[in-house]
Amino acid sequence: MIPPLLFQLMILLSWPINALAESPAIAKPNCPTSCGNGSISIQFPFGIGAGCYLDHQYEVTCISSTPILRSINLTVLDISISSEASTILVNHTVLHSCNLESIRGEIVMNGTVNLESSPFFFSDENRFIGVGCNTFAYLLSNRSIISGCLSFCDKSNISAETMPLRNVTLRNSDCNGIKCCQTRIPSSRDLQQLRVILSTTNYKENTTMTEQNKCKSAFLVDQEWFGNNIDSPGKAQGLKHVPVLLDWGIHESSFDLIERNPSKRYNKTSDCNQIFAHSTSTNTSTNATFTMPVRRCRCNPGYEGNPYLLHGCQGKLLPILI
């Protein structure tokens, strides 16, 4: 006969092994979690197919096994839900021009994706990058400059006013102002509309430049991806698409559609009362601007998984001390 204390210990030791077999769900039942054999996990409130997403903002369409977020028409590279943040990584177009010298240095403008009225926001974990010789690149939001940087052809182009310590060594391998510059964007949870502006700083009528030096580009990019993949201006030149990180949540108007909400039982496992941003929307007929609260859910301490699902947050496995 097994002593009662030993029997209880055997039950406790066996619990983590059984719990490992059941991982938290990421999507609604009977809904696909990826496009074909793709490696990108589509987590609720995002979903593929009718009944699998919360509302139209989160609908994902598979095109040749590539997930496309229909509401903003961008390719999805990753969806992340954690206690710290809810983010989605998307593929975004780079503003590129090789004609600024020939068009008398005029400004080239390109509107980025307009996220107004959506529950998506540009994350401050992105960096703004300008690439090329004598390039002035900056970002506008609501007609105000919020970020910008200058890049020069080489150190000889830098004036004493711009860089008084002219004996400072600048490595060509860094995005430090020589053919490539970078800067932060404001830490704002309400950043939804950006416009990229790209221009040249020294147009001269009879100036001749190599074809490579004529080309300039500017883009917003996820800082982690940029740091891991771009270690020289040459690698930054010619990029056509780059990953951009977006924060996201649930509009107050759509919040009641989450199945977990009617059951107070799940208040113990997750928290969905965190309002982290306000989405902007403009009435086209009256030109009036208004905002909508956006909430974010997260699993409570001791739980992990998808807090937007009814049974999404599961208890973490804790080590058993003997």
Side-chain angles (χ1 to χ4, degrees), residues 112-127:
T112 66
V113 172
N114 189 339
L115 302 177
E116 283 189 342
S117 302
S118 81
F120 307 111
F121 306 82
F122 292 103
S123 169
D124 58 10
E125 295 298 316
N126 294 302
R127 292 293 179 265

Side-chain angles (χ1 to χ4, degrees), residues 27-287:
K28 295 183 73 173
N30 303 316
C31 288
T33 57
S34 65
C35 285
N37 296 321
S39 59
I40 299 168
S41 296
I42 307 301
Q43 306 184 61
F44 187 81
F46 301 89
I48 303 167
C52 291
Y53 47 85
L54 182 65
D55 62 33
H56 73 281
Q57 300 278 11
Y58 308 93
E59 181 182 0
V60 174
T61 302
C62 296
I63 300 178
S64 301
S65 297
T66 300
I68 306 294
L69 185 57
R70 288 194 63 181
S71 59
I72 57 176
N73 196 32
L74 292 178
T75 299
V76 177
L77 303 175
D78 183 61
I79 297 173
S80 175
I81 301 174
S82 70
S83 58
E84 292 79 24
S86 294
T87 59
I88 179 170
L89 196 66
V90 295
N91 218 17
H92 198 278
T93 304
V94 171
L95 172 60
H96 184 79
S97 176
C98 293
N99 299 315
L100 286 178
E101 301 295 334
S102 62
I103 59 175
R104 312 178 74 85
E106 292 176 356
I107 294 174
V108 172
M109 303 181 67
N110 180 56
T112 66
V113 172
N114 189 339
L115 302 177
E116 283 189 342
S117 302
S118 81
F120 307 111
F121 306 82
F122 292 103
S123 169
D124 58 10
E125 295 298 316
N126 294 302
R127 292 293 179 265
F128 182 57
I129 310 294
V131 182
C133 271
N134 299 322
T135 300
F136 180 27
Y138 54 102
L139 277 174
L140 267 72
S141 181
N142 296 324
R143 300 182 181 179
S144 297
I145 296 177
I146 62 170
S147 190
C149 66
L150 282 166
S151 66
F152 301 90
C153 289
D154 53 53
K155 187 179 174 181
S156 64
N157 292 114
I158 303 176
S159 66
E161 292 78 14
T162 306
M163 185 174 176
L165 301 177
R166 296 181 62 79
N167 60 344
V168 171
T169 300
L170 293 176
R171 296 182 299 172
N172 288 330
S173 60
D174 294 334
C175 188
N176 54 16
I178 303 300
K179 297 184 180 180
C180 182
C181 64
Q182 61 177 305
T183 186
R184 295 176 178 270
I185 65 172
S187 181
S188 171
R189 293 297 187 186
D190 300 333
L191 200 58
Q192 290 192 296
Q193 187 185 58
L194 295 178
R195 185 172 291 274
V196 178
I197 298 184
L198 181 63
S199 65
T200 185
T201 62
N202 69 336
Y203 172 78
K204 295 180 181 179
E205 191 71 37
N206 297 318
T207 299
T208 59
M209 300 183 70
T210 65
E211 201 61 38
Q212 182 179 7
N213 285 342
K214 284 183 179 180
C215 295
K216 307 177 191 302
S217 59
F219 50 90
L220 202 63
V221 62
D222 173 47
Q223 65 171 345
E224 183 177 354
W225 181 90
F226 189 78
N228 292 335
N229 292 274
I230 306 298
D231 57 8
S232 68
K235 288 186 177 180
Q237 188 78 47
L239 292 172
K240 295 182 179 179
H241 296 87
V242 292
V244 172
L245 195 66
L246 305 179
D247 292 318
W248 61 270
I250 304 293
H251 273 150
E252 187 79 17
S253 59
S254 301
F255 191 66
D256 289 339
L257 298 176
I258 302 177
E259 291 179 354
R260 64 166 296 288
N261 290 345
S263 176
K264 294 183 178 179
R265 172 186 173 188
Y266 294 96
N267 291 339
K268 296 181 179 179
T269 65
S270 60
D271 172 23
C272 286
N273 294 318
Q274 183 187 15
I275 297 177
F276 81 103
H278 287 80
S279 174
T280 301
S281 183
T282 303
N283 188 313
T284 54
S285 59
T286 63
N287 206 30

